[in-house]
Amino acid sequence: MKLCDFEVGNDRALFLIAGPCVIESRELALETAGRLREMTHRLGIPFLYKSSFDKANRSSVKSYRGPGLDEGLRILEAVREQIGVPVLTDVHEDTPLEAVAAVVDVLQTPAFLCRQTDFIQRVAAQGRPVNIKKGQFLAPWDMAHVVDKARAAGNDQVMVCERGVSFGYNTLISDMRGLAVMRRTGCPVVFDATHSVQQPGGRGDASGGQREFVPVLSRAAVAAGVAGLFMETHPDPERALSDGPNAWPLQRMEALLTTLKALDEVAKRQGFIEDQDLISAKD
């Protein structure tokens, strides 16, 4: 699949989606995007910058949601033009999709909304590539139906994203078998390494997280075989205004990416050896 100016696929070189969870300021966005562009350029990893102008699914009504649509789009446009990288952002049911699609390169649908047929089809109808996050409540084989909905809207530029499955209260588990199952959709599979270590509502009025396991899960996912990685990062995660506990520190990104690039090359050197007909999945 063509994603911006590069080809992506489960058999292609690993690409990265990364940035702070939510837009905090123009300065932080430009700084973070610039540093990520420099390190991914050195490593030869295709890169998209990600940040949200409005996080509608915060734990508390008092939590910071972002700068809003107008200012958020201005900042994302500045990142796109000044840093020279494609940008991705989240959209929601009440988002003016045409206005967002006019600025950003890739639209992302939140996990909670993956079963909303009209929403998925409206997003797909914008003609932009779409990264569809799998719900925490959904089996991996059920993503085939979500993909069918998006394609029925006339858009074949669809990626599917794993971000963990609810396992008891405030806990997520990532099942690496699901990555292979989701490859059966024919879509590039993205693994969200930072939301997979999130603890939803784990701090009562905010989500917690275990960022120390980001390298563990990202290495496992790349070894299992994915097209891309999604990682939220921040120069100072302890002061991040959203998802700080599960964000990976920006200054430690390049070292981790170096390892992941090497693992990706090994995993894809001879293709995936498993027989797809033996994967226990529902058509």
Side-chain angles (χ1 to χ4, degrees):
M1 155 182 158
K2 186 78 169 180
L3 182 61
C4 304
D5 60 349
F6 49 88
E7 293 284 338
V8 301
N10 298 316
D11 60 346
R12 301 297 181 97
L14 188 73
F15 74 92
L16 176 70
I17 301 169
C21 175
V22 67
I23 298 171
E24 297 182 14
S25 69
R26 181 187 183 95
E27 293 72 24
L28 180 68
L30 292 172
E31 174 198 354
T32 306
R35 290 173 62 182
L36 286 167
R37 184 188 64 81
E38 290 172 1
M39 66 179 73
T40 53
H41 179 74
R42 282 193 292 269
L43 293 171
I45 297 175
F47 164 59
L48 295 86
Y49 179 78
K50 179 269 170 185
S51 205
S52 299
F53 57 82
D54 179 24
K55 294 294 291 187
N57 52 353
R58 298 304 307 274
S59 297
S60 170
V61 70
K62 298 178 181 179
S63 298
Y64 176 73
R65 291 178 50 164
L69 177 70
D70 293 339
E71 179 62 14
L73 290 181
R74 280 192 289 268
I75 292 172
L76 290 173
E77 188 170 30
V79 168
R80 192 170 184 251
E81 294 180 354
Q82 296 183 34
I83 307 301
V85 295
V87 296
L88 172 152
T89 198
D90 296 299
V91 292
H92 299 277
E93 287 184 297
D94 59 350
T95 299
L97 297 175
E98 295 83 359
V100 178
V103 172
V104 307
D105 299 279
V106 182
L107 302 173
Q108 180 167 276
T109 60
F112 291 125
L113 299 179
C114 70
R115 288 290 299 269
Q116 299 300 104
T117 302
D118 292 344
F119 170 68
I120 292 295
Q121 293 197 315
R122 286 199 307 271
V123 175
Q126 301 307 310
R128 291 290 192 185
V130 181
N131 189 32
I132 302 178
K133 287 200 168 186
K134 180 176 76 64
Q136 301 92 325
F137 46 83
L138 209 65
W141 45 81
D142 289 330
M143 281 299 285
H145 304 301
V146 182
V147 170
D148 286 345
K149 293 175 183 180
R151 287 174 174 162
N155 192 341
D156 289 325
Q157 298 176 292
V158 179
M159 299 175 285
V160 291
C161 183
E162 172 64 72
R163 49 101 6 109
V165 178
S166 294
F167 187 80
Y169 297 126
N170 308 122
T171 304
L172 297 171
I173 293 293
S174 292
D175 182 357
M176 296 300 158
R177 297 172 301 178
L179 300 174
V181 173
M182 287 166 64
R183 288 202 297 264
R184 289 168 61 95
T185 64
C187 298
V189 176
V190 178
F191 180 70
D192 183 342
T194 48
H195 283 108
S196 290
V197 301
Q198 186 186 59
Q199 296 172 312
R203 294 185 171 181
D205 62 351
S207 292
Q210 296 175 301
R211 79 169 67 93
E212 65 269 25
F213 293 120
V214 169
V216 176
L217 292 184
S218 58
R219 290 194 302 263
V222 170
V226 292
L229 274 180
F230 177 108
M231 298 176 70
E232 289 184 338
T233 184
H234 195 283
D236 188 357
E238 297 301 330
R239 296 187 180 183
L241 300 183
S242 177
D243 277 2
N246 53 267
W248 189 244
L250 181 61
Q251 63 271 25
R252 300 180 66 181
M253 279 287 288
E254 187 163 2
L256 178 55
L257 290 173
T258 300
T259 298
L260 297 176
K261 179 179 171 64
L263 283 173
D264 182 66
E265 291 171 352
V266 171
K268 295 174 180 173
R269 189 169 295 155
Q270 294 182 337
F272 305 121
I273 63 172
E274 69 269 14
D275 182 350
Q276 291 291 321
D277 292 332
L278 297 180
I279 294 177
S280 178
K282 298 178 181 178
D283 293 324

